[in-house]
């Protein structure tokens, strides 16, 4: 049984196939390839985009979706998530999509089920479908290979599953990555890194901004988010008329991560990422459910 816990669960050929297939779904092409299939979504952490994106993707393919309301589920009565998963599995779903605050949750559940587990984000560890949709967005924009294209990932990289998954995937596609963060948000890395955003702005093609993951900080070892924004917010003044695109997985902290003005700028692809997310997840769900 194949699961999607992290980007390395897919080889490059499989990813190319999935993203090629996703292009078809960008134009709202209707397909009933998952008719008669049933998927369960179980999100132990809040989500706007990822949960609805998976559910819309599945429904567009004709699958039915059961959303487990975690606040009303038996995990809130003390049932372990592995028991919850084993019980869900006994109802024979064709896939389970899970988000959890603990890194490794999806991997752990995979031992108790006989259908694919798709990781919708586990702690600071991985968010594979977000990285796939980010890759897809850049490939669509640049129209050709990403080999040698330069990207700066800006923000709370140390606590970001989006950064983790993107670093693995974008490296594989030949992108040159620079991490931009204050020292307390920087992981141990062999990548280029700096805390001076304006020093790299002239040498990049893509800026990926990330939210400060305050929910994962035990203690606040830094000043206010306003202080952070002073150095790391993507502003009009910073990007001027440069030929770059701006990505963000959402939710955006306005004027902390990205300035209002920049969010309205056509170079900012945040909503395009959301649209692409549905198409990519359609192709991902087909891949995992139909190749079981
Ligand atoms: C991210 C997440 O939850 O990991 N958002 C998303 O899935 N679109 C990023 C974040 O919460 O900052």
């Amino acid at each position: 049984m194949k699961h999607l816990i992290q980007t390395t669960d897919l080889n490059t050929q499989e990813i190319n196939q999935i993203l090629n297939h996703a292009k078809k779904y960008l134009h709202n092409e209707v397909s009933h390839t998952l008719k008669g299939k049933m998927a369960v979504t179980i999100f132990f952490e809040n989500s706007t985009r990822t949960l609805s994106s998976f559910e819309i993707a599945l429904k567009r393919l004709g699958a039915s979706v059961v959303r487990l309301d975690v606040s009303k589920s038996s995990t809130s009565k003390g049932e372990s998530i592995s028991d919850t998963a084993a019980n869900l599995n006994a109802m024979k779903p064709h896939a389970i999509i899970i988000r959890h605050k603990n890194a490794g949750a999806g991997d752990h559940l995979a031992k108790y089920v006989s259908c694919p587990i798709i990781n919708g984000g586990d702690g600071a560890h991985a968010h594979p479908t977000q990285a796939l949709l980010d890759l897809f967005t850049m490939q669509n924009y640049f129209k050709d290979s990403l080999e040698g294209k330069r990207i700066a990932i800006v923000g709370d990289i140390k606590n970001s599953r989006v950064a983790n998954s993107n670093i693995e995937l974008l490296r594989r596609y030949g992108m040159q990555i620079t991490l931009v963060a204050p020292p307390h948000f920087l992981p141990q890395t062999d990548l280029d890194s700096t805390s001076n955003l304006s020093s790299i702005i002239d040498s990049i093609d893509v800026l990926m901004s990330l939210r400060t993951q305050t929910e994962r900080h035990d203690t606040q070892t830094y000043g206010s988010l306003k202080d952070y924004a002073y150095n790391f917010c993507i502003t009009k003044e910073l990007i001027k008329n440069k030929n770059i695109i701006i990505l963000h997985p959402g939710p955006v902290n306005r004027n902390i991560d990205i300035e209002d003005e920049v969010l309205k700028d056509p170079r900012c692809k945040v909503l395009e990422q959301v649209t692409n997310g549905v198409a990519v997840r359609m192709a991902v769900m087909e891949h995992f459910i139909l190749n079981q």
Side-chain angles (χ1 to χ4, degrees), residues 49-50 99 127 130 161-162 211 213 215-216 249-251:
R49 276 149 293 268
T50 307
R99 167 171 285 193
H127 194 348
Q130 180 67 44
R161 53 195 175 207
V162 176
R211 185 178 63 90
Q213 311 281 306
E215 69 276 28
R216 298 203 184 102

Side-chain angles (χ1 to χ4, degrees), residues 15 59-60 79 104 112 118 146 172 248 259 270-271 287:
I15 293 175
K59 286 180 180 174
R60 280 202 186 148
E79 183 176 67
Y112 298 88
I118 309 295
L146 295 179
R172 228 200 291 177
H248 191 299
E259 198 178 51
V270 172
L271 292 178
H287 179 87

Side-chain angles (χ1 to χ4, degrees), residues 158-159 183-185 217-224:
K158 194 175 174 179
N159 295 295
H184 47 272
F185 288 163
H217 303 160
D218 299 333
T219 48
Q220 187 176 327
T221 52
Y222 49 90
S224 70

Side-chain angles (χ1 to χ4, degrees), residues 15 23-24 31 99-100 109 158 165 224 235 240 277 291:
I15 293 175
K23 275 190 203 150
K24 246 182 35 188
S31 162
R99 167 171 285 193
H100 200 278
L109 290 194
K158 194 175 174 179
S165 290
S224 70
T235 61
K240 298 193 177 72
N291 296 323

